[in-house]
Each structure stands twice: as C-alpha cells, then as structure tokens.
Amino acid sequence: MPLVSLTRLHLASWWRVVPFILESNASIRQARRADGFLRGAVGKEPGLGFWTATVWSDIDAMRAFRDSDAHKAAMPKFYRWCDEGAVVHWFQGDEALPEPAKALERLLRDGKLSKVQRPTDAHRAGQVVGRCPVWQRPIERTR
C-alpha cells in the first residue's frame, strides 16, 4: 500500500530562501532516482512556508531516502534555517498525490512537529500550523 509523506517547513528569514531552494533541489534529484519513489510535488504557501508531498511504494523506501545522501545532509541545515516544521505520513489505496486542502487537513490533524533551532511561539506551544499550499512543481521519477 503506498505511503504519502508530507512535510511543511517555514523559513525564519528571507535570507535563507536561496540556500533552502538549492538544498531542496538536491533532495528532489535524489528522490527522482530513489528506489520506491512513485511521485511527488513541491508546494508553497503565502510567505515563507514550503511543502513537499511524496508518494512511496512503502515506508522502508521512504526511510531509506530520508536517511541518506542529499536529504540526510540537508536536514541539519533546515533545523537551523526554519522556525516551524511538521511532517505527517499515511497509507492510502492509490499512488495519487493528495489535494492541497487534504494535505493541509492531514498535517493539522495528524502532523508531528519537527525540531527547529528558533521556533515561533506557535511551534514552541506545540501547534502544527500552516496554510493551504499550492503544488507548484511535480516531481517525476527519473527512469
């Protein structure tokens, strides 16, 4: 059964946008080649909120991607650059990407906070926050 992995990160400063995009693009290139990657998309919400939705063949494939190469190298940087972060995973019966409104609803309902160095007041209070993303760029598997 396919697994959806959804991440929302909010940058603490506009100064971090360019390095964030460079690191994110490296992770996207890695995902495209990863075993078990089915499809994905990156999205944006107003302000400095960035989203990633990926669909994986199973949880082990997602974890192997998460714990290696470009993605593993980027995670400590995001800890320093972001003031909010959350992730949620769920299994579903097909390989479709979630609609943005469903993605937001799942994140707000079931999301787990990510560790960030300088959290916002909401993050510090344990609140998962976000606004509805717009999927801006699909991530397709490199064959």
Side-chain angles (χ1 to χ4, degrees), residues 6-12 14 17 20-21 41-53 83-86 100-101 103-105 107-108 120 122 127-137:
L6 185 72
T7 304
R8 177 194 178 259
L9 296 171
H10 186 272
L11 295 176
W14 285 99
V17 171
F20 176 82
I21 289 172
V42 292
K44 176 108 175 55
E45 67 180 53
L48 294 173
F50 296 88
W51 292 68
T52 305
D83 57 8
E84 294 172 355
L104 176 63
E105 183 244 316
L107 188 77
L108 294 175
T120 63
Q127 297 173 356
V128 174
V129 298
R131 292 189 273 174
C132 196
V134 175
W135 299 142
Q136 294 183 318
R137 188 172 107 197

Side-chain angles (χ1 to χ4, degrees), residues 9-140:
L9 296 171
H10 186 272
L11 295 176
S13 166
W14 285 99
W15 292 103
R16 300 296 189 199
V17 171
V18 171
F20 176 82
I21 289 172
L22 293 173
E23 292 291 336
S24 296
N25 283 339
S27 291
I28 290 167
R29 286 190 299 274
Q30 175 191 347
R32 285 183 168 140
R33 298 184 310 271
D35 289 339
F37 173 76
L38 302 174
R39 67 182 26 84
V42 292
K44 176 108 175 55
E45 67 180 53
L48 294 173
F50 296 88
W51 292 68
T52 305
T54 51
V55 183
W56 298 88
S57 60
D58 56 56
I59 196 165
D60 292 332
M62 183 278 296
R63 287 178 175 158
F65 161 78
R66 179 195 67 195
D67 297 340
S68 65
D69 301 331
H71 190 272
K72 183 178 181 180
M75 288 173 64
K77 296 172 187 175
F78 296 164
Y79 165 79
R80 293 189 316 270
W81 297 346
C82 296
D83 57 8
E84 294 172 355
V87 62
V88 64
H89 302 125
W90 70 88
F91 293 97
Q92 62 183 27
D94 60 31
E95 299 176 8
L97 282 171
E99 293 296 321
K102 180 179 179 180
L104 176 63
E105 183 244 316
R106 287 299 287 247
L107 188 77
L108 294 175
R109 186 182 73 213
D110 301 325
K112 305 289 185 229
L113 294 177
S114 302
K115 292 181 182 178
V116 295
Q117 191 171 31
R118 293 180 192 89
T120 63
D121 290 341
H123 193 89
R124 194 176 297 107
Q127 297 173 356
V128 174
V129 298
R131 292 189 273 174
C132 196
V134 175
W135 299 142
Q136 294 183 318
R137 188 172 107 197
I139 305 170
E140 299 296 334

